[in-house]
Amino acid sequence: MTGEPDWRQAAEIHALGYSRWKRDAVRLCFAGQRTVFVSSTSQVPAGAWLTVWGKNAPAGLRDGVRLLRLEDGFLRSVGLGADLIRPLSLVVDARGIYFDATRPSDLEVLLQTGRFDAGLLSRANVLRDRLVSLGLTKYNVGQVTWQPPSTTKRRILVPGQVETDASIRYGAPGIRRNLDLLRAVREANPGADLIYKPHPDVVAGLRAKGRWEDEASRWCDEVVVDVPMDALLAAVDEVHTMTSLTGFEALLRGKRVVCYGQPFYAGWGLTEDIIPHPRRTRRLSLDELVAGALILYPRYFDYQRGIQIPVEQAIEQLQALRAQHGNRGAWWRPIYRMILRHVVGVR
């Protein structure tokens, strides 16, 4: 809104609660501004801009302190964030955060009210084609070749989520468990082939399984684990999800998407929404959604040069990293995960 303070004009950004491995990304996110890392709200002066991760809610803030919430962007890395692999992109939000459907976020306001000119939409169209042709997704993990069922039935992919994630708490007002979602999809689609893919953080043992998730095979035709998401999306007809980013990635590939929650990409006329969102009244084209979510909202980084880069360069970095490492990851990753589980536990 005109007249409101803009964090981009601030000389200094305070940052609370960031572990050391995230700090390079935070500094790059606020390139050109001084980032002051603090361990307590008592170190944040009145009227300052303060960045926190996700939905963290610091207590005891001085008068006039304004919050900026950070989260991973939608094109993140080759590998998992839970493995402490640095993000290639972050989003900054001064209103809320994109996965919290209970209140407006900068992304929601941008999609609801923003202007997308012809040049931006053309750029979004080329970007979408490039992503799909390269087969890039958020994490770019998986190594198993998958053979889809040899039937003529509709194939529906149901992506598993980490049930304790904030995206479920703040973006799924109805179904909040993977098994409940599977059951609902099966009951609504008794003649379809249902394919369930557990969340990669859960498969890696870095996050806890959902309640009764071991019973998933009772409600689907197949459980797939270490298959690249792009390969799955190419082979299915539809994605049914609570709030998973897989739904957005399916839209990029022209798939039908049914949302049982209210992710950022729902409510704009591109998805079938079990629980419609009352604030989202604008009808968007797919290129408008891409322009907002992948071009205008995130910030992308080149760690070697220590600069921000446009999304097109970030895509080339992701492709180069995937070509260098494949989808397999380092040989020492399983050992590292064992240490992580021992040190930080499984959340």
Side-chain angles (χ1 to χ4, degrees), residues 295-308:
I295 298 176
L296 300 179
Y297 187 50
R299 295 188 158 200
Y300 299 90
F301 317 127
D302 183 323
Y303 286 100
Q304 289 189 339
R305 292 187 289 166
I307 60 172
Q308 293 184 17

Side-chain angles (χ1 to χ4, degrees), residues 130-175:
R130 182 66 172 155
L131 280 172
V132 174
S133 66
L134 291 175
L136 293 173
T137 56
K138 182 175 183 178
Y139 293 118
N140 303 289
V141 295
Q143 60 188 33
V144 174
T145 301
W146 179 67
Q147 183 65 40
S150 57
T151 71
T152 58
K153 296 180 180 179
R154 280 183 305 129
R155 298 185 193 128
I156 299 177
L157 174 62
V158 180
Q161 295 186 240
V162 178
E163 292 181 0
T164 56
D165 267 2
S167 68
I168 300 294
R169 294 197 303 275
Y170 295 99
I175 291 174

Side-chain angles (χ1 to χ4, degrees), residues 53-57 69 71 96-104 108 161-176 242-243 261-264 277 279-280:
W53 187 258
K55 287 294 291 182
N56 289 344
R69 300 190 181 279
E71 259 290 350
I97 194 66
Y98 69 84
F99 58 74
D100 182 359
T102 67
R103 58 182 294 178
E108 183 182 285
Q161 295 186 240
V162 178
E163 292 181 0
T164 56
D165 267 2
S167 68
I168 300 294
R169 294 197 303 275
Y170 295 99
I175 291 174
R176 293 187 170 187
M242 292 180 282
T243 63
Q262 296 173 330
F264 73 87
H277 198 295
R279 284 194 310 272
R280 302 173 188 172

Side-chain angles (χ1 to χ4, degrees), residues 197-251:
K197 187 179 193 301
H199 193 280
D201 285 351
V202 172
V203 173
L206 297 168
R207 302 294 295 273
K209 289 183 179 180
R211 192 175 184 186
W212 304 307
E213 192 170 349
D214 285 330
E215 300 178 23
S217 59
R218 291 180 52 196
W219 299 96
C220 67
D221 296 281
E222 187 175 358
V223 177
V224 297
V225 178
D226 198 20
V227 178
M229 182 57 74
D230 178 69
L232 280 174
L233 290 173
V236 301
D237 302 298
E238 308 171 14
V239 169
H240 292 227
T241 182
M242 292 180 282
T243 63
S244 172
L245 187 66
T246 299
F248 177 65
E249 294 167 342
L251 287 178

Side-chain angles (χ1 to χ4, degrees), residues 70-98:
L70 264 61
E71 259 290 350
D72 287 334
F74 309 127
L75 295 170
R76 189 194 185 281
S77 52
V78 177
L80 305 177
D83 271 335
L84 305 188
I85 293 176
R86 294 186 301 184
L88 195 64
S89 66
L90 293 176
V91 301
V92 186
D93 206 303
R95 286 184 176 87
I97 194 66
Y98 69 84

